[in-house]
Amino acid sequence: VNESEWKLAIIEADKLIDDLLIQRGHKGESMAERLSLLTRREFKSLDLLWEAHKVRNRIAHKLDFKINRNEALRVISYYEEALKDLRGL
């Protein structure tokens, strides 16, 4: 797996979570707005998801952004935690 594939996986994971938030009726014009309306009480991995979303934004907006395998795996694990939490919402 090369760096561009890791970046794409992160972008796709972010989109999946955002789509699920929308399907569950969470309001907001953007994913960031939807995240800002969640509480840690209802969504325990909120801080991890914010961190992952920030990495996604760097990938999307900074052409020279670099990510290595370990960092990509860490970020993807944050999305996995968020998916677990979404099952409980």
Side-chain angles (χ1 to χ4, degrees), residues 6 9-10 13 17 45 48-49 51-52 69-85:
W6 287 120
I10 290 168
I17 297 290
S45 64
L48 296 178
L49 185 53
E51 188 171 334
R69 178 183 183 274
N70 290 338
E71 177 72 5
L73 288 173
R74 184 179 62 80
V75 170
I76 289 169
S77 77
Y78 294 169
Y79 287 115
E80 290 172 345
E81 287 300 311
L83 275 174
K84 291 176 192 171
D85 279 354

Side-chain angles (χ1 to χ4, degrees), residues 35-89:
L35 292 179
S36 70
L37 296 173
L38 291 171
T39 65
R40 282 168 192 78
R41 183 179 304 154
E42 67 182 333
F43 200 81
K44 65 184 176 185
S45 64
L46 184 59
D47 291 334
L48 296 178
L49 185 53
W50 265 115
E51 188 171 334
H53 184 64
K54 289 175 186 175
V55 171
R56 177 262 175 217
N57 284 345
R58 281 185 239 132
I59 290 168
H61 301 291
K62 293 187 177 188
L63 296 177
D64 61 345
F65 181 76
K66 300 287 183 201
I67 192 163
N68 63 40
R69 178 183 183 274
N70 290 338
E71 177 72 5
L73 288 173
R74 184 179 62 80
V75 170
I76 289 169
S77 77
Y78 294 169
Y79 287 115
E80 290 172 345
E81 287 300 311
L83 275 174
K84 291 176 192 171
D85 279 354
L86 277 170
R87 287 190 199 133
L89 284 181

